[in-house]
């Protein structure tokens, strides 16, 4: 009796035996799991990922506001024809403090030739008053403004973030975090060609 | 000395695990029973090692022994004692030691509970699998993530302390241990699932026997997840308790598959069916716990809850791959034995309802898993960085939750095998009336919006149906009507309904506002008055807090604050919550005012029914405990059918009473 | 309608009626959204660029505040939610969205669960049909019964071993 009940039924109908069905299902399951593991293995750690900017290759957005230090231009457009290093900063941000000597060195190198300059933009509008002391206390001579809408139009995440704008007004590079004067010079050199 | 002791303890555990594996495998393959008994004894080495290592680390943390790099990075003399103790699980290396400790505990409990049946190969192989998992974690601790690493010279005199968000609130002492008790607890059923497949004995009641272990782990996981939500609500300051954050999701995933298993194993008990499915669910649950551990600690996802530091990603991913490969391989190998003789007569039956339950929970788990890993997939496929956030999960899971609430309402009244429309009509009348009555009341009181109304109406439907079962059971059996599998399950359902309703209410009807107040100024918002009394500074060894005193409704004063932890060089905001049963008033101080006597901005968030989430969680835990209450008939599912049952006299009755156990159909065994 | 019909179905008809009326009233929004509510709702669709997993509605960082201000200004100018989304995605890239877009590769994450559920339901229905076939309609033989009968009929009619003559 048991034979008949466990045998595959007679001809006329195709029905996969249970074993083959389990094999197919486990094969599919195995492939899905393998694909998932491959994705995980190929994923970089988030701390090393830096997003690219959608602004690269496009014209720099209109950026103007009130001057923080009281001197220098208040509109990015006034600096067209020069290489502009647009630097988003805040006084409370330790990497911004750390990169200040590099920026001062860069400014000093290019102040005589006048072909390149830094243009500071305050990241946090509530920080504007403290920013004045932050900049003047470090003898920063470049123009810096407070433009509340600049963070969003430039796609800024966290300070310090900086962009290099070519004399034509096109954004050519973005940096997340602090930079050195040498990095900016190297970028200007490579994009000048 | 502590370092040496800790490392020695870890090595002892590892040797115990490896020795146990070797002894048991030889005993199982050669059929030597005395080796099986010896192999069981190795578990106590693992337990001893784990306990000693934990004690050593706690000693170092409590006494701020900065010679250990873990202590130097996560502890400080200014941290209060409680948070020095909890610093053990505040960072990566210690948290893996906690995992190892709890795993050792479960393996010891497993060895003790099954000590009389250690010569049964299923128990033997289950212990082998358990030892292998333990071996992995202790190897991980000795290599990539050692809590007893030496700190580099020069030895610091003070460390930064734990992350400020982890020394803010007492719940840090409860959530991680409870969560790990839940997640690690799923190892035991997994061991038995693998053992059943290895020995080929998948038709007996082993899976059903370990159901109580699964329920135990599930209960702790429920408590751990709810406490995690409560903790983040009290500490993080955005006023919510569930953000569909990747770390939250990966703790939720094993809960979903575990819930599906708890229901579908009842179909296996009754009809002998769904064996492959249940084994897959158990394997999936355990694999998801390891996947969760990997995602939390590998740094591939961005989350405020994830662990940082340490490079354990590749090892955990390899272990995950190994587990998945072994599970799938064993299932494929034993596919021929898993043919089940049963079938389901009608979709409109209790079995059909459990199938629908599994379908819905499977879909739920699929959505959560897909949403959590999709950013990684997209990044690998086309390099883009995308986010899959709350709106996606809420949109996709809302229909599933609606269907689940409906199912929870009709399933308890469905009989086994087949139901008729007449029966449903009769039994569901009062619950349906209650549901529609609730709906009408809500509409009359001005509640609008499809999602919340569906949640309230269906919640009332499900709750009334569960209550009906409980009332009938207690009328029939007295106090025993509130314990046991079915009745405890109804209490758990009520807890779920409470959480669903509270979730819908607090998400749909939350109101937020920000007020700029000078000291002494009051403002009225949505029926509450808030009077800002002024700032005050509180300093202690741990932190320096600037608190804003706000008097709510002329009564108690609440103090949202901004706290600076000087040793960790970090500032965090601390909200202050006024909770009542009806709603929570959530106060925050977004920024320190520029002058101590000037105006301060106070954030106010009013959310209805939030307390019911925590109450619902408590009800679920109580219900689970009640459902594990032993019944009057105590016969182990793995005993032969003719074994006598305590409390029932004649053996003849035992035979007829076996009609609703494990395999129905072509005899037990296969 | 007979009295028996009313007794069986009456309460359910009443329940159904109240349900429909309540739902119809309940899904109407009686007050239009204020500007603040619209700003908050839209801000919740975007990530806070400076945070670890918060939305622009919840967070108070400079960038989130500016995103909310931009949404408010654009709404007051009469721009639609889609216009605002175009602006923000042009500034930050698609990573600013809290939910994946519904075109391109990311459509998969919206569609895959639906496909999976439908496939599972179809699979279950096929399984139920198969089980019904195995059981057979009440009173008619199932497929396995038929196989048994065929095999028994195919055996030559001799004395089956061990069975006494009378019981054939």
């Amino acid at each position: 009796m048991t034979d008949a009940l466990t045998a595959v039924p007679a001809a006329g109908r195709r029905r996969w035996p249970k074993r083959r069905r389990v094999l197919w299902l486990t094969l599919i399951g195995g492939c899905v799991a393998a694909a998932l593991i491959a994705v995980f293995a190929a994923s970089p750690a988030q701390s090393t990922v830096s997003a690219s900017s959608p602004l690269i290759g496009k014209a720099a957005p209109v950026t103007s506001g009130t001057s923080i230090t009281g001197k220098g231009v208040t509109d990015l457009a006034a600096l067209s024809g020069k290489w502009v290093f647009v630097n988003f900063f805040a006084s409370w941000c330790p990497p911004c403090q750390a990169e200040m000597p590099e920026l001062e060195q860069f400014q000093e190198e290019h102040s005589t030739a006048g072909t390149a300059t830094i243009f500071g933009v305050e990241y946090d509008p509530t920080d504007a008053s403290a920013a004045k002391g932050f900049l003047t206390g470090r003898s920063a001579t470049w123009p810096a403004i407070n433009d509340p809408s600049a963070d969003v139009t430039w796609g800024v995440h966290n300070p310090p973030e900086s962009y290099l704008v070519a004399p034509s007004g096109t954004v050519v590079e973005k940096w997340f975090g602090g930079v050195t004067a040498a990095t900016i010079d190297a970028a200007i050199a490579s994009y000048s060609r | 000395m502590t370092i040496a002791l800790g490392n020695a303890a870890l090595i002892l555990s590892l040797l115990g695990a490896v020795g146990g594996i070797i002894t048991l495998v030889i005993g199982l393959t050669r059929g030597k029973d005395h080796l099986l008994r010896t192999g069981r004894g190795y578990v106590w080495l693992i337990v001893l090692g784990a306990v000693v290592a934990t004690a050593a680390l706690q000693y170092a943390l409590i006494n701020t022994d900065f010679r250990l790099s873990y202590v130097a990075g996560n502890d400080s003399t200014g941290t209060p004692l409680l948070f020095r103790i909890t610093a053990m699980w505040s960072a990566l290396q210690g948290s893996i030691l906690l995992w190892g400790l709890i795993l050792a505990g479960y393996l010891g409990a497993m060895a003790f509970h099954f000590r009389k049946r250690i010569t049964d190969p299923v128990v033997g192989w289950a212990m082998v699998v358990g030892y292998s998992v333990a071996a992995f974690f202790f190897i991980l601790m000795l290599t990539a993530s050692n809590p007893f690493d030496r700190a580099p010279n020069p030895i610091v005199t003070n460390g930064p302390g734990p992350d400020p968000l982890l020394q803010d609130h007492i719940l840090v002492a409860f959530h991680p241990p409870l969560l790990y008790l839940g997640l690690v607890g799923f190892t035991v059923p997994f061991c038995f699932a693998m053992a059943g497949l290895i020995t080929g004995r998948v038709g007996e009641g082993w899976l059903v026997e370990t159901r109580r272990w699964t329920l135990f782990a599930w209960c702790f996981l429920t408590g751990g997840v709810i406490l995690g939500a409560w903790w983040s609500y009290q500490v993080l300051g955005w006023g919510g308790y569930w953000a569909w954050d990747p770390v939250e999701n990966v703790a939720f995933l094993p809960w979903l598959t575990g819930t599906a298993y708890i229901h579908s194993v009842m179909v296996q008990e009754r009809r002998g069916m769904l064996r492959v499915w249940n084994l897959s669910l158990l394997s999936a649950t355990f694999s998801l716990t390891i996947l969760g551990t990997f995602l939390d600690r590998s740094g591939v996802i961005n989350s405020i809850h994830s662990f940082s530091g340490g490079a354990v990603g590749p090892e955990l991913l390899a272990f995950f791959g190994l587990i998945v490969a072994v599970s799938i391989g064993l299932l494929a190998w034993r596919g021929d034995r898993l043919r089940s003789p049963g079938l389901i007569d009608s979709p409109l039956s209790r079995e059909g309802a459990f199938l629908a339950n599994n379908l819905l929970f499977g879909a739920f788990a699929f959505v959560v898993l897909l949403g959590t890993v999709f950013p990684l997939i997209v990044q690998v496929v086309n390099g883009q960085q995308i986010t899959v956030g709350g709106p996606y999960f809420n949109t996709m899971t809302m229909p599933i939750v609606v269907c689940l609430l409906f199912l929870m309402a009709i399933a308890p009244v469905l009989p086994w095998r087949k139901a008729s429309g007449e029966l449903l009509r009769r039994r569901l009348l009062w619950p349906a009336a209650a549901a529609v009555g609730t709906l009408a009341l809500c509409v009359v009181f001005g509640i609008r919006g499809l999602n919340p109304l569906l949640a309230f109406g269906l919640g009332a439907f499900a709750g009334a149906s569960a209550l009906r079962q409980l009332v009938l059971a207690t009328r029939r059996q007295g106090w025993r009507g509130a314990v046991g599998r079915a009745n405890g399950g109804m209490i758990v359902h009520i807890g779920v309904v409470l959480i669903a309703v509270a979730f819908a209410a607090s998400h749909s009807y939350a109101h937020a506002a920000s007020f700029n107040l000078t000291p002494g100024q009051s403002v009225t918002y949505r029926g509450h008055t808030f009077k800002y009394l002024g700032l005050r500074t509180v300093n202690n060894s741990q932190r320096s807090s600037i608190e804003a005193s706000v008097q709510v409704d002329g009564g108690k004063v609440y103090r949202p604050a901004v706290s600076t932890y000087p040793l960790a060089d970090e500032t965090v905001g601390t909200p202050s919550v006024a909770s009542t049963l009806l709603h929570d008033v959530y106060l925050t101080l977004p920024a320190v005012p520029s002058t101590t006597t000037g105006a301060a901005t106070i954030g106010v968030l009013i959310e209805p029914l939030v307390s019911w989430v925590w109450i619902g969680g408590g009800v679920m835990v109580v219900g689970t405990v009640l459902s594990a209450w032993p019944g009057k008939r105590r016969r182990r599912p793995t005993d032969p059918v003719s074994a006598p049952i305590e409390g029932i006299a004649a053996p003849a009755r035992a035979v007829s009473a076996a009609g609703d156990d494990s395999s129905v159909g072509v005899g037990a065994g296969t | 309608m007979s009295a028996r019909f009313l007794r069986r179905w009456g309460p359910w008809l009443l329940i159904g009626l109240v349900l429909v009326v309540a739902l119809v009233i309940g899904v109407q929004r009686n007050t239009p959204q204020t500007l603040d509510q619209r700003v908050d709702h839209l801000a919740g669709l975007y990530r806070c660029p400076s945070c670890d997993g918060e939305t622009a509605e919840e967070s108070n960082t400079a960038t989130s505040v500016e995103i909310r201000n931009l949404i408010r200004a654009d709404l007051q100018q009469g721009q639609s939610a889609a216009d605002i989304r175009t602006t923000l995605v042009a500034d930050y890239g698609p990573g600013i969205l809290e939910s994946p877009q519904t075109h391109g590769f990311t459509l998969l994450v919206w569609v895959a669960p639906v496909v999976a559920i439908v496939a599972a339901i179809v699979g279950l229905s096929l399984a139920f049909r198969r089980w019904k076939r195995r059981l057979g309609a009440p009173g008619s033989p199932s497929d396995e019964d038929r196989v048994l009968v065929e095999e028994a009929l195919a055996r030559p009619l001799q004395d089956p071993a061990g069975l006494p003559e009378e019981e054939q």
Side-chain angles (χ1 to χ4, degrees):
Chain A
M1 270 310 182
T2 23
D3 303 319
L5 279 177
T6 53
V8 177
R13 200 178 39 257
R14 256 188 42 204
R15 210 183 63 165
W16 287 352
K18 180 86 173 198
R19 183 191 188 130
R20 264 222 295 192
R21 198 167 44 207
V22 170
L23 273 178
W24 272 112
L25 286 174
T26 49
L27 191 66
I28 296 175
C31 287
V32 168
L36 201 61
I37 293 175
V39 165
F40 291 140
S43 297
Q46 281 297 310
S47 49
T48 60
V49 168
S50 57
S52 61
S53 169
L55 280 190
I56 294 187
K58 301 215 183 70
V62 170
T63 315
S64 70
T66 51
S67 170
I68 294 178
T69 51
K71 44 188 164 104
V73 297
T74 56
D75 192 331
L76 180 61
L79 296 171
S80 81
K82 300 187 198 180
W83 288 94
V84 185
F85 182 75
V86 180
N87 173 248
F88 284 84
F89 72 98
S91 67
W92 42 256
C93 133
C96 311
Q97 297 159 4
E99 73 171 351
M100 280 302 271
E102 295 286 331
L103 296 184
E104 287 162 39
Q105 183 189 337
F106 176 83
Q107 188 71 3
E108 234 180 82
E109 286 169 11
H110 294 267
S111 53
T112 39
T115 50
T117 182
I118 301 177
F119 188 65
V121 183
E122 171 62 63
Y123 164 81
D124 181 0
T126 63
D127 182 51
S129 44
K132 175 168 182 178
F134 174 76
L135 289 174
T136 49
R138 285 172 172 72
S139 58
T141 53
W142 57 84
I145 62 162
N146 181 16
D147 178 356
S149 62
D151 281 347
V152 172
T153 51
W154 284 82
V156 175
H157 293 76
N158 277 309
E161 270 172 35
S162 312
Y163 302 77
L164 185 63
V165 180
S168 57
T170 317
V171 178
V172 292
E173 180 136 353
K174 173 170 182 175
W175 291 273
F176 290 84
V179 296
T180 61
T183 323
I184 315 175
D185 284 326
I188 295 180
S190 75
Y191 286 106
S192 295
R193 283 189 239 110
Chain B
M1 212 278 285
T2 320
I3 295 179
L5 181 65
N7 277 310
L10 291 178
I11 293 178
L12 177 69
S13 288
L14 179 61
L15 287 179
V18 171
I21 294 175
I22 296 177
T23 316
L24 282 174
V25 168
I26 297 181
L28 286 163
T29 47
R30 303 254 176 100
K32 296 192 198 284
D33 279 0
H34 69 275
L35 280 181
L36 293 182
R37 273 184 263 272
T38 326
R40 181 180 81 87
Y42 279 92
V43 78
W44 305 113
L45 287 181
I46 304 180
V47 172
L48 179 68
V51 168
V52 169
T54 307
L57 186 61
Q58 284 291 353
Y59 183 78
L61 283 168
I62 294 176
N63 294 313
T64 59
D65 182 349
F66 293 114
R67 288 170 301 174
L68 275 74
S69 76
Y70 184 76
V71 179
N74 296 293
D75 199 9
S76 82
T77 49
T79 314
L81 176 65
L82 172 68
F83 300 117
R84 290 210 295 275
I85 297 176
T86 64
M88 176 181 168
W89 50 82
S90 300
L92 177 69
Q93 294 87 348
S95 74
I96 302 212
L97 179 57
L98 181 67
W99 191 289
L101 174 73
I102 294 180
L103 181 60
Y106 270 111
L107 290 178
M110 191 164 105
F112 181 74
H113 186 260
F114 291 102
R115 66 194 178 285
K116 300 232 175 78
R117 291 178 276 170
I118 188 61
T119 47
D120 188 332
V122 170
V123 178
W125 280 110
M127 299 236 56
V128 169
V129 176
Y131 284 157
S132 311
V133 176
F136 167 74
F137 277 101
F138 282 100
I139 291 177
L140 192 67
M141 274 189 267
L142 282 167
T143 54
S145 142
N146 194 338
F148 297 105
D149 271 339
R150 220 169 269 280
N153 276 320
I155 308 288
V156 297
T157 46
N158 206 353
D163 187 299
L165 289 172
L166 300 175
Q167 46 171 323
D168 219 3
H169 197 277
I170 192 177
L171 275 176
V172 69
F174 294 98
H175 161 67
L178 265 182
L179 192 73
Y180 286 14
L181 277 168
L183 292 174
V184 179
F186 285 117
T187 313
V188 173
F190 173 74
C191 291
F192 277 97
M194 293 295 103
L197 284 172
I198 292 174
T199 55
R201 286 158 55 189
V202 292
E204 301 164 23
W206 280 109
L207 227 50
V208 170
E209 171 138 15
T210 52
R211 187 176 167 274
R212 194 163 268 155
W213 292 80
T214 316
L215 206 60
F216 199 65
W218 185 89
C219 180
F220 280 127
L221 187 58
T222 308
V225 170
I226 297 281
L227 280 188
W230 199 3
W231 183 22
S232 75
Y233 177 70
Q234 299 274 359
V235 160
L236 285 181
W238 60 286
Y241 45 87
W242 189 261
W244 296 108
D245 181 272
V247 170
E248 296 170 2
N249 293 347
V250 297
F252 191 45
L253 275 170
W255 187 89
L256 289 170
T257 52
T259 309
Y261 173 75
I262 289 174
H263 289 88
S264 70
V265 76
M266 290 196 258
V267 179
Q268 180 169 336
E269 272 181 6
R270 288 262 173 174
R271 311 303 298 274
M273 304 176 59
L274 299 183
R275 274 190 286 234
V276 177
W277 179 244
N278 284 330
L279 288 167
S280 313
L281 274 179
L282 274 183
S283 310
T285 308
F286 180 66
S287 313
L288 285 170
T289 63
I290 302 295
L291 180 66
T293 311
F294 163 72
L295 284 175
D296 286 351
R297 291 166 174 79
S298 61
V300 295
I301 53 170
N302 253 336
S303 165
I304 195 168
H305 305 275
S306 54
F307 290 89
S308 53
V312 292
E315 291 87 344
L316 284 169
L317 185 62
F319 189 54
F320 173 71
L322 180 68
I323 299 220
V324 171
V326 166
S327 314
I328 290 185
L330 281 174
L331 275 171
W333 177 40
R334 291 299 194 190
D336 56 334
R337 299 222 186 186
L338 291 164
R339 187 195 347 243
S340 71
L343 48 75
I344 295 185
D345 301 349
S346 149
L348 198 64
S349 61
R350 184 84 59 97
E351 299 97 315
F354 284 147
L355 276 187
N357 161 300
N358 269 239
L359 179 81
L360 288 169
F361 272 106
F364 205 149
F366 182 68
V367 165
V368 174
L369 182 62
L370 182 66
T372 308
V373 303
F374 198 67
L376 298 175
I377 297 177
V378 167
Q379 187 166 67
V380 165
V381 163
N382 59 19
Q384 253 186 359
Q385 294 266 80
I386 63 154
T387 310
V388 177
Y392 170 80
F393 290 104
N394 285 328
T395 312
M396 298 297 270
T397 60
M398 177 72 187
I400 297 178
V401 171
V402 162
C403 291
L404 275 172
L405 282 174
F406 183 71
L407 194 62
M408 267 203 285
I410 66 173
V413 305
L414 284 171
W416 293 95
R417 300 206 75 137
K418 202 171 167 76
S420 66
E422 158 106 30
L423 186 138
L424 280 181
R425 249 199 333 266
R426 214 181 39 225
R427 292 184 177 180
L428 285 178
L429 184 60
W430 283 112
V436 164
T438 311
L439 194 64
L441 266 177
C442 289
V443 170
V444 159
F445 277 107
I447 297 184
R448 297 283 182 271
L450 180 64
N451 282 347
L453 283 177
L454 272 182
F456 298 152
L458 288 172
F461 195 22
S465 184
L467 265 175
R468 179 185 166 276
Q469 295 293 112
L470 280 172
V471 164
L472 287 176
T474 46
R475 247 197 259 170
R476 231 185 356 235
Q477 300 173 296
W479 67 268
R480 273 203 174 268
V483 302
R485 196 158 78 182
N487 305 317
M490 291 301 105
I491 300 180
V492 174
H493 280 193
I494 292 180
V496 173
V497 164
L498 289 176
I499 294 180
V501 164
F503 195 87
S506 60
H507 275 76
S508 307
Y509 301 110
H511 297 275
S514 232
F515 300 105
N516 211 341
L517 300 171
T518 54
Q521 193 184 358
S522 288
V523 70
T524 308
Y525 180 60
R526 302 198 71 88
H528 297 275
T529 31
F530 302 97
K531 183 164 174 187
Y532 171 50
L533 299 175
L535 285 180
R536 72 170 196 190
T537 310
V538 175
N539 286 324
N540 60 27
S541 63
Q542 184 192 17
R543 62 185 178 193
S544 156
S545 298
I546 301 178
E547 300 176 352
S549 305
V550 179
Q551 189 178 34
V552 177
D553 294 334
K556 197 162 159 212
V557 175
Y558 292 90
R559 301 202 163 86
V562 172
S563 307
T564 310
Y565 290 80
L567 297 161
D569 201 17
E570 244 185 88
T571 305
V572 295
T574 312
S576 183
V577 189
S579 293
T580 64
L581 281 183
L582 278 184
H583 57 237
D584 277 22
V585 175
Y586 196 89
L587 298 165
T588 53
L589 186 65
V592 179
S594 33
T595 56
T596 36
T597 47
T601 312
I602 309 281
V604 175
L605 178 62
I606 301 192
E607 284 181 288
L609 298 186
V610 176
S611 303
W612 288 96
V613 177
W614 327 127
I615 296 175
V619 169
M620 283 178 77
V621 169
V622 167
T624 316
V625 169
L626 288 176
S627 81
W629 203 274
K632 284 206 284 207
R633 290 191 297 171
R634 318 234 349 229
R635 181 173 74 76
R636 277 201 295 244
T638 45
D639 284 343
V641 163
S642 54
I645 301 178
E646 297 165 37
I648 296 188
R653 282 229 247 141
V655 172
S656 63
D660 54 352
D661 275 307
S662 30
S663 337
V664 172
V666 194
T670 3
Chain C
M1 288 193 216
S2 68
R4 213 183 101 211
F5 179 82
L6 269 180
R7 214 180 19 245
R8 275 170 109 202
W9 290 104
W12 284 98
L13 286 176
L14 181 63
I15 287 176
L17 185 67
V18 176
L19 177 72
V20 167
V21 168
L23 276 181
V24 161
I25 301 179
V27 298
Q28 318 281 349
R29 228 169 235 296
N30 46 11
T31 48
Q33 281 186 306
T34 64
L35 180 65
D36 279 340
Q37 284 174 326
R38 286 182 71 199
V39 168
D40 280 343
H41 171 72
L42 285 179
L45 300 176
Y46 300 98
R47 265 184 55 226
C48 155
S50 325
C51 321
D52 245 340
E54 287 180 58
T55 62
E57 178 201 354
E58 301 155 352
S59 160
N60 280 313
T61 57
T63 44
S64 301
V65 170
E66 285 181 29
I67 288 180
R68 292 203 291 269
N69 290 341
L70 176 124
I71 295 176
R72 183 181 298 270
D74 283 355
L75 282 178
Q76 281 170 331
Q77 279 172 14
Q79 290 192 35
S80 70
D83 296 329
I84 297 175
R85 193 167 84 193
T86 318
T87 314
L88 283 172
V89 170
D91 291 336
Y92 277 99
I96 192 70
L97 295 171
E98 182 73 10
S99 265
Q101 295 168 303
T102 49
H103 56 265
F105 182 69
T106 52
L107 181 62
L108 189 66
V109 78
W110 293 100
V111 162
V114 178
V115 167
I117 294 180
V118 166
I121 293 179
V122 165
L124 266 184
S125 323
L126 289 177
F128 270 111
R129 235 171 351 131
R130 195 176 58 239
W131 287 327
K132 245 204 174 62
R133 258 205 322 249
R134 255 212 275 167
L135 269 186
S140 75
S142 72
D143 299 343
E144 277 149 9
D145 291 337
R146 288 186 203 278
V147 168
L148 288 176
V149 168
E150 277 172 32
E151 293 195 350
L153 287 178
R155 279 201 289 271
L157 281 174
Q158 308 155 345
D159 297 32
L163 271 184
E165 299 275 335
E166 302 90 65
E167 290 186 30
Q168 278 193 34

